[in-house]
Amino acid sequence: MIQLNINGKSFNVDVEPDTPLLWAIREQVGLTGTKYGCGIAQCGACTVHIDGAPVRSCVMTAGAAVGKRITTIEGLAVNGVLTKVQKAWLEHDVPQCGYCQSGMIMAVSALLNDKPKPTDADIDAAITNICRCGTFQQVREAIHAAAKA
Amino acid sequence: MSHAPKISRRSFIISTAAAGGGLALGLNIPFGPGVVRAADGSPEVNAWVVIRPDDTVVIRIARSEMGQGTLTGLAQMVAEELECDWAKVTTEYPTPGQSVARKRVWGDYGTVGSRGIRQSHDYVRKGGATARTMLVQAAANEWKVPAPECSAANSVITHKPSGRTTTYGKVAEAAARLEPPKDVALKDPKDWKIIGKPMKRLDTIDKLTGKQVYGADIRLPGMLNAAIKDCPVFGGKVKSFDAGKAERMPGVKKVVRVEGSAIAVIADTWWHAKTALDAVNIEWDGGANAKVSSASIAEMLKDGLGAEQAFVHNEKGDVKAAIAGAAKKLEAVYAYPFQNHVTMEPMNATARYTADRCEVWCPTQNGEGALAATAAASGLPIEKCEVYKLHLGGGFGRRGAIHDYVRQAVLIAKEMPGTPVKLLWTREEDMLHGMYHPVMQAKLTGALDASGNLTGLRIRLAGQSILATIFPQALQNGKDPLSFQGFWPSGEHAFGYSIPNLLIDHAMRNTHVPPGFWRGVNINQNAIFLECFMDELARAAGQDALEFRRKLMAQHPKHLAVLNAVADKGGWGKPAARGVHRGLAHMMAFGSYVAACAEVSVSGGSKVKIHRIVAATDPGYAVNPAQIERQIAGSFVYGLSALFEQECTVKDGRMEQENFHQYNSMRIAQMPKVESIIMPSGGFWGGVGEPTICVAAPAVLNAIFSATGRRIRSFPLKNHGFQMV
Ligand code: FES
Ligand code: FES
């Protein structure tokens, strides 16, 4: 049994400490917004924030996340109020299938916390998530819109 | 935009599963005779439209939403004729089981071949028009006035002479009791208010908050999880396995052999199942296929290039004579590899089996196909089976024709009667057991006369037929017409050039690798073969690539229009920025005309920067231009990822690539600026999700040639040292 702090709440999680954080979040905690796409840190679908920094949760163990502040896609909007990134995503109709978008939004939210007015080059360097539907053009527009909001 | 309260997909599924059906039929529910009701008791005006007392309009969508926007497009069509308030529209999937019970009242569920909209526009619009007529009639009855004195707009019915009004929600109950009109007139396209407008998608909000439940996310009470490994050699089987260690691992309930070819572990969590599966010692028997390699397949295809026997699909004049008498002859051989769809969400299905009922929750592009697979695997009659569709985390053709993952899930659930079991494939399993883009080679021979006119063109295709493997009943005397997409004499994949002597044929060479419909299907390679070779011919003739094409396109005005549009906007013939080179391509596929003009620069001889793509499409009618734009932009991500990075190679009978580190996909840094030209010319309905993919590769290849002088004829480009930057 380990204790995880997710979206401001503490959870007692019955899991072997070497279980990837992704699966502890999805299966034990039941927050399924964080997705599995590759399991080897390639696609970014599983991106969460650990103490505010973007992390691919498929390659971090649950044990290593103990004592840290974990934020998942479900923890972004507080009391149903969307963040400016989520609002920009809605306004620009970004998602297609949507499966990569939790990870995409988490990566972008971390970027904007770090660099509130990112350049295209900043975006290119920081956002390396795979989107098979190919939403990148709208993602870029929405990032700039969120930065202006 | 609609943020109307929805039943959450999950509670909908669970509650309806408990009730034993997706949509309750009127018979069981005491609201009065004859009215069919939705699960929440609201009346169906007809099969397509349910109206709640609060005026919410629930539009039924039979096709599947996998990101391509069909759900919103189809809702627009119904709403247009229904004259309802778009802000009050929400949608739901009727279940395939209900379709069986109601004699396919919603028509075809197949969401493949870019036909979600183009092959249902007529009956879904009629569904909306019929419902509107009934709602107006119900209001007229209540007011005791003639229906023609009433009109409907924005979900409000007005009696014109008296000015009285009512809303759809108030008359829906009465409307649902009326006899539907036999015939309804559809609006003239010029009067459309919702179709043709850039409406926002109806399915966005839950995708931003983590609420959207995909198949991989389903959680049912008491559910167990399964992971599977199928014999990596296609057609092989399990020789032996030792599950001793796995069975003692945490959470493991059962280790089972599935169909002789696969081993699955059932456990409390998926992570436990997957970890235990890795601990099962499996010995595979690949059989004769274990000898097959990419090289042996290439050899077989090469043999087809010179074979006597081939299926002819487009022939004119005497191409042999034209080539023999040519002032100049040009020949080239191209080859296209196997590719995997790699939907972002790996294959999965959740099944619950009992001796007299089998239910499946899954992502599928064809609910009816998933239901048939459920019935076949469970051994139960179809009436005792049900499928609950979830939005797909990508489809691209992988989840349309073959429901191998559904079959496996049902077989595994049969080992645990009464317990729901979710089967989720690892990415590795997904890449080792795709339904792959078929391999194809092509030999092209062109004949030019002394003035550089193209007098003859011969295209010999040699390679795999998808239909022969998975839909042999669709072959035409053995021939696979889909192999010739973009090369048809006429129809939805029509060839865009008039060449006096022409012969296009296909020497079918099938492999043990299962082929499937991969977004765009056979236009992907056919467009490369044709449009790159046209550039080669233009160069051999000493002519401009656009002018050379135009001379052959006088009889193909719609093909020409999209080509001209990209050439104009792309600045063809005008100087480009320093180091920037352009390439063109066009094609007709899935009923739409598409073209692209690419601008690239190449540094260090191998680093390709794609700066800008101008892409035009004429789909006849553009139901939602904003979503079409997104499909176009996304098509370049899919098509260019394939061109530069993606190939599945066969070694010892199995695929070598198992995850994204060996099968890369474009990132945002590589994304060109895509400028769409949507130019619907009206009078026909073409597809949107697939056609544009095919012009991505040849337009970029032609630009790369212009930049480097290198003509690449086998793919992906990484094999030639090229890199997309
Ligand atoms: S699932 Fe973690 S990066 Fe792909
Ligand atoms: S929206 Fe489908 S993978 Fe990104």
Side-chain angles (χ1 to χ4, degrees), chain A residues 94-102 104 129-136 139, chain B residues 66-67 201 207 214 342-345 392-396:
Chain A
V94 174
Q96 289 189 26
C97 83
Y99 193 82
C100 74
Q101 296 294 335
S102 299
M104 194 74 84
N129 300 49
I130 291 176
C131 173
R132 292 292 289 147
C133 298
T135 58
F136 299 134
V139 167
Chain B
M66 50 192 156
R201 297 175 64 113
K207 294 175 178 173
Y214 298 85
V342 204
T343 58
M344 208 67 222
E345 177 197 22
L392 290 74
F396 313 124

Side-chain angles (χ1 to χ4, degrees), chain B residues 72-85:
Chain B
T72 305
L74 287 169
Q76 283 177 259
M77 310 259 237
V78 175
E80 178 71 59
E81 295 291 343
L82 183 59
E83 296 287 2
C84 67
D85 182 350

